[in-house]
Amino acid sequence: MYSPIAAEEAVKVIKSNSRIYIQAAAAAPQSLIQAVSARHEELKGVEICHLHTEGAAPYANPEFRDSFHVNSFFIGKNVRHTLKAGNGSYTPVFLSELPSLFKRSIIDLDVAFIHVSVPDRHGYCSLGVSVEATLAAIDNATTVIAQINKYMPRTHGAGIIHVSEIDIFVENHQPLPGHAVVAPNAIEEKIGAYVANLIEDRSTLQMGIGSIPNAVLTRLTNHKDLGLHTEMFSDGVIDLILNNVITGNYKAINRGRALSTFLIGSQRLYDYVDDNPFVEMRASNYTNDVSIIKQNPKMVAINSAIEVDVTGQVCADSIGANMYSGVGGQMDFIRGASLSEGGKAIIALPSITSKGISRIVPALKPGAGVVTTRSHVHYVVTEYGVANLYGKTIKQRVKALVNIAHPDHRETIERSYFEMIGG
């Protein structure tokens, strides 16, 4: 059916000045990444594109700047240093629109690195825990190289491809990178409780991974008939599904299914989604399409931020002018939830950083990006409460956001804002 070769042989098709796309998150194929990185002495000017990836990224070593340049569509920790070092760039793009960059040949690809399950008896593989823009990359790339891995779950949905769509096969069986479930701290628990109180029965949820989403999920055990339509999820939803809290019965789109475009979690998550028809993996131009999201009644989008100014502008991708992460899918879901009947767009964050710096600010830092505009956000939540900004004037917003800032900073924030505007 297929004839695998060594990864070192497979990556020999890559030439200098070519462009590679790497499948995202926990699906980043480590054997191919290591093999192409090992060719740094003979390759020049290779552009490596991807969203956030788990695992090592040796090609991002600044010493290899002449060999590889990293083009991040979302900046992960393993390549964040490349922007200052000069061997990396960031391309701002909504996750919903990333596949279109490949489909419309705005970004042409020479090679796609993908990571798939073992083919079934009919010759079909699964893209497993990450679909995002990978289907578009497969269609656009001149050469598709796949790592076949028995540890890759076989997920249902759109990420099923036939071996005939793959040009070169590498067989390497290794467990996927995982994220342990971290218990929320006291502040995150308070935020989780406030957010959970905003969620009604029969709502459809979008949330990421991390302590705040986990804190929200642990508070939903008495809710009924919730749905899941998200770009990513982790272990926190499993028990809610098993206990019939998340059923999907009242979704308007993909009713009775949990929808996602990539997954990151523990081995328990990867085992749970394996051959599980309740979980449907789709490309990000579907999961993150505002026109699709908004059809779900009571759509609740829960996202976070680096800082929020007192008028409601949300910075989620940079610290001042220094890029930190990316636009991702925040605006896709904030807008989709806003347009949903009974929907709620929520930004949840601790009131201060670990160093005691307020994250509710009079004005965003110079150079900071506005990911969600003041016109889009509905609710901002900290451990001090909920600010409902929808339909509120600027003065009302200032008051509401100052009231959920850390008490040590409230007076300074309010005074600084009015001094700044000459009020």
Side-chain angles (χ1 to χ4, degrees):
M1 186 182 297
Y2 64 94
S3 300
I5 60 176
E8 294 75 16
E9 287 296 315
V11 299
K12 285 183 178 179
V13 300
I14 296 168
K15 309 298 182 186
S16 292
N17 302 311
S18 59
R19 181 183 285 132
I20 303 170
Y21 180 76
I22 298 177
Q23 192 175 347
Q30 293 300 313
S31 62
L32 300 178
I33 288 170
Q34 295 292 337
V36 74
S37 300
R39 294 190 60 204
H40 61 88
E41 292 184 354
E42 54 192 284
L43 291 173
K44 299 296 179 185
V46 173
E47 182 180 320
I48 298 184
C49 307
H50 53 70
L51 290 155
H52 163 79
T53 60
E54 293 287 306
Y59 53 83
N61 186 335
E63 295 178 7
F64 302 159
R65 70 177 69 247
D66 292 336
S67 304
F68 306 111
H69 186 85
V70 181
N71 183 357
S72 296
F73 302 123
F74 191 94
I75 307 161
K77 183 179 179 180
N78 56 0
V79 299
R80 193 168 290 139
H81 62 281
T82 63
L83 277 76
K84 284 191 175 181
N87 63 319
S89 305
Y90 166 60
T91 299
V93 60
F94 294 126
L95 189 54
S96 59
E97 295 184 14
L98 180 56
S100 294
L101 295 185
F102 304 146
K103 290 182 177 182
R104 295 165 59 190
S105 295
I106 294 170
I107 296 179
D108 282 316
L109 300 174
D110 297 294
V111 179
F113 281 178
I114 68 172
H115 194 171
V116 299
S117 68
V118 174
D120 65 15
R121 61 192 180 93
H122 303 292
Y124 286 92
C125 307
S126 168
L127 292 172
V129 298
S130 189
V131 178
E132 21 77 33
T134 300
L135 290 172
I138 290 169
D139 290 341
N140 180 261
T142 303
T143 303
V144 178
I145 307 177
Q147 176 181 336
I148 292 175
N149 185 358
K150 68 180 182 182
Y151 292 101
M152 177 61 78
R154 186 177 186 82
T155 56
H156 289 238
I160 302 294
I161 63 170
H162 193 264
V163 291
S164 60
E165 298 180 67
I166 300 168
D167 299 296
I168 302 173
F169 302 88
V170 170
E171 197 165 57
N172 194 313
H173 305 295
Q174 50 194 171
L176 302 183
H179 275 225
V181 178
V182 179
N185 61 30
I187 289 173
E188 292 158 344
E189 288 282 9
K190 289 180 181 178
I191 296 170
Y194 282 123
V195 173
N197 285 336
L198 293 172
I199 298 171
E200 304 171 62
D201 289 344
R202 300 184 180 180
S203 295
T204 295
L205 307 180
Q206 174 264 326
M207 59 180 63
I209 65 171
S211 297
I212 291 178
N214 285 341
V216 175
L217 292 167
T218 59
R219 300 272 180 165
L220 299 178
T221 53
N222 292 321
H223 279 63
K224 294 180 174 60
D225 283 314
L226 298 178
L228 193 65
H229 180 135
T230 187
E231 68 183 43
M232 63 181 299
F233 68 79
S234 190
D235 295 62
V237 305
I238 298 175
D239 288 334
L240 294 179
I241 296 171
L242 293 176
N243 291 312
N244 287 321
V245 175
I246 294 177
T247 64
N249 289 340
Y250 290 88
K251 293 170 63 181
I253 297 293
N254 302 95
R255 183 170 295 175
R257 298 289 185 270
L259 200 69
S260 187
T261 196
F262 61 94
L263 315 167
I264 305 176
S266 70
Q267 188 58 48
R268 183 192 182 206
L269 176 71
Y270 303 146
D271 291 341
Y272 177 74
V273 301
D274 184 41
D275 199 26
N276 185 344
F278 183 75
V279 177
E280 188 169 325
M281 302 294 291
R282 301 290 291 265
S284 61
N285 57 344
Y286 182 89
T287 59
N288 289 49
D289 186 330
V290 172
S291 67
I292 291 173
I293 296 167
K294 72 177 185 179
Q295 294 180 51
N296 291 309
K298 298 183 181 179
M299 183 74 210
V300 178
I302 305 164
N303 290 273
S304 194
I306 292 172
E307 60 180 3
V308 179
D309 79 13
V310 290
T311 72
Q313 293 188 114
V314 177
C315 175
D317 63 350
S318 68
I319 301 174
N322 295 314
M323 296 306 307
Y324 184 80
S325 54
V327 173
Q330 181 172 122
M331 265 305 303
D332 296 328
F333 279 96
I334 289 288
R335 193 63 181 144
S338 299
L339 296 172
S340 158
E341 183 179 350
K344 296 174 182 176
I346 301 169
I347 299 293
L349 73 167
S351 66
I352 56 174
T353 69
S354 59
K355 296 180 180 179
I357 300 169
S358 182
R359 296 173 71 171
I360 305 294
V361 295
L364 301 181
K365 292 181 180 65
V370 177
V371 171
T372 296
T373 77
R374 59 172 70 98
S375 302
H376 288 110
V377 66
H378 283 191
Y379 298 90
V380 178
V381 180
T382 74
E383 71 272 25
Y384 292 101
V386 178
N388 183 355
L389 307 184
Y390 193 54
K392 300 297 195 298
T393 67
I394 293 295
K395 285 186 177 180
Q396 290 170 328
R397 287 160 175 257
V398 172
K399 182 178 180 181
L401 285 164
V402 167
N403 285 341
I404 64 166
H406 193 283
D408 292 349
H409 295 281
R410 291 176 186 173
E411 184 179 344
T412 302
I413 294 167
E414 189 169 22
R415 184 179 65 250
S416 297
Y417 173 75
F418 284 108
E419 286 176 352
M420 181 177 63
I421 65 169

